């Protein structure tokens, strides 16, 4: 039996066994943002420790940074945000760590910035104090989120204590239908396997559908692995991966590139690789999805009715009633046609250039419904520049969207972008938890960028397929 | 660096009461922070304010206890949330060890990982100790991890500390990070073996 990518990478990165019985795992790439790293840097200072491999850590600022030019003026108005900003700058500078900052035009959501810089590469173990680190698995890496104490461990030693996960292969057969996007595929597997389904597992995504996906689509798929309970998700590297990485700032150059490709090919799962579990999802069964509840698994296809609580296992009844109560929806009602107040396109799930291109295509020459607050937030400054060069910003603003500066924005509202009161947002982000978008009673419907665009036009949840 | 903790010496800080929870130790509004540094000043902030209103002073503010490092309390100390901020706040204030009738399990675990031994003592012993400290605030207390004993002048008390954490303090393994740090050479070797760290050299 052959080996899968997870086992190959895990084994090749184990330094040794710890007295606790866990493995000491070498971390090839460490990333930090402003929210979860300052205490870790402080722990190092207090213990007189140095950052062991500063060249293997990269930082940026994303969660707290405001997304309008005026509000980004330093010092930031919110004192704690400014403090976090200064800390990530100072901690990076003092430790010789590369900071992708706004002055250099390299800032953005950490999971958008690192891939576009070519920092994220196949064959690495990648850690970051952020749950959506799973995104980087799209390149054929083991990438997972860690807590603040572990951030300190990685800074001080470039290693951390870890235990091997089980691996579930999720194979998507067939092609994506018209009107179906990577986000729908992600919502589909979470709907099928549940938010707890991945606990204890790494997910390998594969199959014809995945092979035909661009790197940006693959990142959307892996980004949401964590929402399915998996610690990480990955896709085997292939020509698509290499084409994306070629000539990026941090990609290997010259002869090293060829040697890199040889290494990357060698770490992909073997054809006869063993898995702890295998799930097959038929592409023909994936339609545009919309979440209606308070977990990313509580979703329906756009033309389905909201489910009856009794159609689920009894253990889920409580959270389902809670979801209905919070959302103010009724069993059996349509999701299509639900009025919305806010549209948000952005985040590490769907804040990349192709996401804005798809939405712009739909919005071009049209106007969004009156009374809708709509914001388009680039995932990174570099991507923003690219979009503006293509005139996408103009399409969005002409349609009635606000075109913002790069950051996490309304994905989690640790910055000025927030829902108000009971507002309902059609959002391309990844979490629809209660209060996630900044209002304790605010509501979030997750969907693809194309679906958010049509929702903006109609002022209510709509079916993209009627526009194609 | 492996730090073995075998004894803790210092004067006491008496904190009478059962069920002193993590929200009292450090109120939730102090949790959004960039370092744990400021937490010490805000330890027991709400209790301190409430007592002040009544014209009383909290032990954490009384001048006689400002150099104290051994916290003494009653039962179920540190109950409430799992947040690491509570033991961090105590450590920042200057606490090095705790003697109490009982602890919440998570709080106890968090303290171990910070190198703060939490000894258990019976109710009678706790009362004796609290009274002794109040009578003589500056008198040094010596805690022996090895012997599980407390000595304060003539007062000698037996303490309880499970073998697991006791061993971790004695051999320094309470500090998980230290366990990673000692293998620095092996880590460097591992780094050398990884293609992407060496520009994919053969
Ligand atoms: S965009 Fe959202 S999910 Fe992604 S890193 Fe920022 S806050 Fe987290």
């Amino acid at each position: 039996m052959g080996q899968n990518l997870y086992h190959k990478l895990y084994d090749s990165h184990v330094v040794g066994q710890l007295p606790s019985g866990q493995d000491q795992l070498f971390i090839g790439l460490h990333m930090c943002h402003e929210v979860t790293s300052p205490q870790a840097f402080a722990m190092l200072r207090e213990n007189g420790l140095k950052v062991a491999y500063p060249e293997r850590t990269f930082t940026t600022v994303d969660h707290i940074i405001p997304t309008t030019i005026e509000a980004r003026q330093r010092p930031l108005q919110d004192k704690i945000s400014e403090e976090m900003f200064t800390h990530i700058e100072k901690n990076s500078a003092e430790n010789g760590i590369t900071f992708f900052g706004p002055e250099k035009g390299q800032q953005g959501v950490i999971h958008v910035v690192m891939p576009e810089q070519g920092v994220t590469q196949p064959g690495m173990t990648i850690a970051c104090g952020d749950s959506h680190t799973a995104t980087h698995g799209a390149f054929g890496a083991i990438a997972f989120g860690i807590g603040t104490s572990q951030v300190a461990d990685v800074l001080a030693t470039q290693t951390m204590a870890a235990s091997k996960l089980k691996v579930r292969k999720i194979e998507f057969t067939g092609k994506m239908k018209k009107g179906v996007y990577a986000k729908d595929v992600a919502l589909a597997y979470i709907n099928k396997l549940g938010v707890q389904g991945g606990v204890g597992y790494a997910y390998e995504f594969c199959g014809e559908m995945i092979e035909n996906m661009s790197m940006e689509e693959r990142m959307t798929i892996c980004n949401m692995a964590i929402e399915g309970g998996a610690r990480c998700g990955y896709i085997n590297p292939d020509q698509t991966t290499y084409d994306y990485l070629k000539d990026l700032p941090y990609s290997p150059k010259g002869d090293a590139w060829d040697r890199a490709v040889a290494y990357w090919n060698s770490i992909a799962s073997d054809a006869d690789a063993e898995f702890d579990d295998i799930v097959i999802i038929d592409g023909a069964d994936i339609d545009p999805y919309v979440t209606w509840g308070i977990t990313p698994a509580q979703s329906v296809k756009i033309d389905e009715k909201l489910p009856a609580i009794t159609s689920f296992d009894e253990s889920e009844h409580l959270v389902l009633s809670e979801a209905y109560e919070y959302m103010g929806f009724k069993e059996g009602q349509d999701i299509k046609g639900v009025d919305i107040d806010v549209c948000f396109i952005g985040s590490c799930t769907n804040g990349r250039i192709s996401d804005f291109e798809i939405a712009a295509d739909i919005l071009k020459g049209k106007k969004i419904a009156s009374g809708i607050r709509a914001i388009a937030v680039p995932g990174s400054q570099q991507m923003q520049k690219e979009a503006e060069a293509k005139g996408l910003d103009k399409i969005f603003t002409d349609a009635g969207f606000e075109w913002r500066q790069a950051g996490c924005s309304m994905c989690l509202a640790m910055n000025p972008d927030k829902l108000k009161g009971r507002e309902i947002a059609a959002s391309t982000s990844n979490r629809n938890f209660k209060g996630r978008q900044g209002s304790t009673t605010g509501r979030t419907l997750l969907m693809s960028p194309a679906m958010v665009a049509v929702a903006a036009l109609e002022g209510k949840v709509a079916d993209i397929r009627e526009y194609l | 660096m492996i730090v073995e903790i075998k004894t803790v010496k210092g004067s006491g800080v008496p904190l009478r009461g059962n069920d002193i929870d993590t929200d009292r130790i450090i109120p939730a509004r102090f949790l959004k922070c960039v370092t744990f540094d400021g937490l010490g000043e805000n330890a027991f902030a709400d209790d301190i304010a409430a007592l002040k209103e009544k014209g009383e002073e909290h032990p954490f503010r009384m001048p006689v206890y400002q150099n104290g490092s051994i916290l003494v309390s009653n039962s179920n100390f540190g109950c409430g949330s799992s947040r690491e901020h509570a033991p961090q706040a105590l450590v920042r204030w200057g606490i090095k060890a705790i003697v109490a009738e009982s602890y919440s399990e998570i709080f106890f675990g968090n303290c171990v990982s910070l190198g703060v031994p939490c000894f258990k003592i019976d109710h009678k012993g706790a009362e004796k100790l609290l009274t002794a400290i109040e009578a003589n605030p500056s008198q040094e207390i010596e805690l022996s991890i090895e012997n599980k004993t407390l000595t304060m002048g003539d007062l000698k008390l037996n303490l309880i500390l499970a073998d697991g954490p006791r061993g971790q303090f004695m051999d320094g393994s309470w500090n998980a990070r230290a366990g990673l740090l000692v293998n620095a050479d092996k880590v460097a070797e591992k780094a050398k073996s990884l293609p992407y760290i060496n520009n994919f050299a053969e």
Side-chain angles (χ1 to χ4, degrees), chain A residues 35 38-39 80 83-84, chain B residues 30-36 39 85:
Chain A
V35 178
Q39 295 96 334
I80 293 179
E83 223 182 320
M84 288 177 171
Chain B
F30 297 113
L31 301 187
K32 196 179 166 195
C33 56
V34 285
T35 64
F36 293 130
L39 292 181
H85 294 69

Side-chain angles (χ1 to χ4, degrees), chain A residues 63 109 111 130 132 347-348 408 411-412 430 436:
Chain A
H63 285 59
V109 181
H111 311 307
D130 189 280
H132 293 95
S347 87
C348 59
C408 292
C411 175
L412 92 164
N430 47 41
R436 168 77 177 181

